[in-house]
Amino acid sequence: MLRIVSYPHPALRYESRPVTQIDDRLRAAVRAMFDLMYEAHGIGLAANQVAIPLQFFVINLSADPEQRDQEQVFINPEIVKRHSTDEFEEGCLSFPALYAKVQRPRKVRVRAYDLQGNDLSVEADELYARALQHETDHLHGRLFVDLFDPTIKTNTAGKIRDIEQSFRDSQERGEYPPDDEIRRQLDAWPEFGPTA
Ligand code: NI
């Protein structure tokens, strides 16, 4: 059963592996991720946020489960072009209730595969560009808090400590194994092969 993990769950600092096969198991994970994302009122969710160490993420800028035509899946995404910069408030489903300004390129071009395995090449700006960069970062263990400037880092330190404590508490309660065990599980994650 998938669930969104919060910082500092080790999956969030994990360098995910490329997807090699698009099959029923991957499609089921994608559907579950969209549902979790809507439930949490998010616009994007990366696989390692549900502790799957593979390079894909889902996005729906409308955040509205009724607007399924806005759903997009990016598999093995790569940012191939970045242009100008922009500052805007960002949040992340793995950092509950934390919002802060982050500077990023304003426009990007992203290459990926879609869920049908077709080549996907997207030019995006503003919110769309920001979401694509935020989610692609996740797949490489990079988090939006890494981009905070020193003042914002200071101002958010307490909140981040609370988020961290809340994860450690749930670990103490046995909801998650110790970090080393989580990392072993991520290393051992089977390739998306035929479902058993
Ligand atoms: Ni995020």
Side-chain angles (χ1 to χ4, degrees), residues 2-62:
L2 299 181
R3 59 173 161 171
I4 298 175
V5 300
S6 60
Y7 182 79
H9 187 290
L12 297 171
R13 285 300 189 190
Y14 201 79
E15 171 74 40
S16 295
R17 301 189 281 282
V19 171
T20 57
Q21 201 178 342
I22 299 170
D23 60 10
D24 286 346
R25 194 168 166 194
L26 179 66
R27 282 185 282 269
V30 162
R31 193 61 251 158
M33 283 167 60
F34 273 119
D35 294 340
L36 287 169
M37 184 188 83
Y38 293 134
E39 207 176 294
H41 307 288
I43 61 170
L45 189 65
N48 46 344
Q49 290 182 276
V50 293
I52 296 177
L54 295 178
Q55 292 181 16
F56 69 96
F57 62 76
V58 303
I59 255 183
N60 183 337
L61 295 183
S62 75

Side-chain angles (χ1 to χ4, degrees), residues 49 91-93 134-135 138:
Q49 290 182 276
C92 178
L93 295 180
H134 178 116
E135 301 310 332
H138 269 304

Side-chain angles (χ1 to χ4, degrees), residues 3-170:
R3 59 173 161 171
I4 298 175
V5 300
S6 60
Y7 182 79
H9 187 290
L12 297 171
R13 285 300 189 190
Y14 201 79
E15 171 74 40
S16 295
R17 301 189 281 282
V19 171
T20 57
Q21 201 178 342
I22 299 170
D23 60 10
D24 286 346
R25 194 168 166 194
L26 179 66
R27 282 185 282 269
V30 162
R31 193 61 251 158
M33 283 167 60
F34 273 119
D35 294 340
L36 287 169
M37 184 188 83
Y38 293 134
E39 207 176 294
H41 307 288
I43 61 170
L45 189 65
N48 46 344
Q49 290 182 276
V50 293
I52 296 177
L54 295 178
Q55 292 181 16
F56 69 96
F57 62 76
V58 303
I59 255 183
N60 183 337
L61 295 183
S62 75
D64 179 359
E66 302 296 312
Q67 297 192 43
R68 287 221 175 173
D69 58 324
Q70 309 266 326
E71 292 183 349
Q72 280 194 300
V73 181
F74 286 75
I75 297 172
N76 301 345
E78 212 185 324
I79 297 174
V80 292
K81 244 185 210 174
R82 296 172 171 83
H83 188 65
S84 64
T85 62
D86 193 18
E87 197 179 64
F88 201 76
E89 194 165 81
E90 234 171 87
C92 178
L93 295 180
S94 295
F95 290 83
L98 178 70
Y99 300 92
K101 279 189 178 164
V102 171
Q103 219 177 58
R104 290 187 189 273
R106 183 187 178 85
K107 290 184 183 180
V108 290
R109 177 189 280 278
V110 177
R111 286 211 196 108
Y113 295 98
D114 67 15
L115 199 53
Q116 284 70 47
N118 300 315
D119 284 318
L120 191 63
S121 180
V122 168
E123 289 253 22
D125 65 3
E126 305 200 342
L127 179 67
Y128 190 21
R130 186 161 287 275
L132 293 176
Q133 293 174 81
H134 178 116
E135 301 310 332
T136 301
D137 276 355
H138 269 304
L139 305 180
H140 302 285
R142 296 189 295 259
L143 299 167
F144 81 133
V145 295
D146 304 339
L147 301 174
F148 288 180
D149 71 27
T151 311
I152 291 179
K153 241 174 210 157
T154 306
N155 294 343
T156 55
K159 203 158 207 173
I160 292 172
R161 265 198 304 276
D162 290 348
I163 293 169
E164 188 163 348
Q165 191 54 51
S166 157
F167 174 74
R168 295 300 175 205
D169 289 348
S170 63

Side-chain angles (χ1 to χ4, degrees), residues 2 14 17 25 29 50-54 56 182-193:
L2 299 181
Y14 201 79
R17 301 189 281 282
R25 194 168 166 194
V50 293
I52 296 177
L54 295 178
F56 69 96
I182 293 176
R183 279 191 212 100
R184 263 195 297 279
Q185 288 174 5
L186 292 167
D187 289 341
W189 186 271
E191 288 290 306
F192 275 101

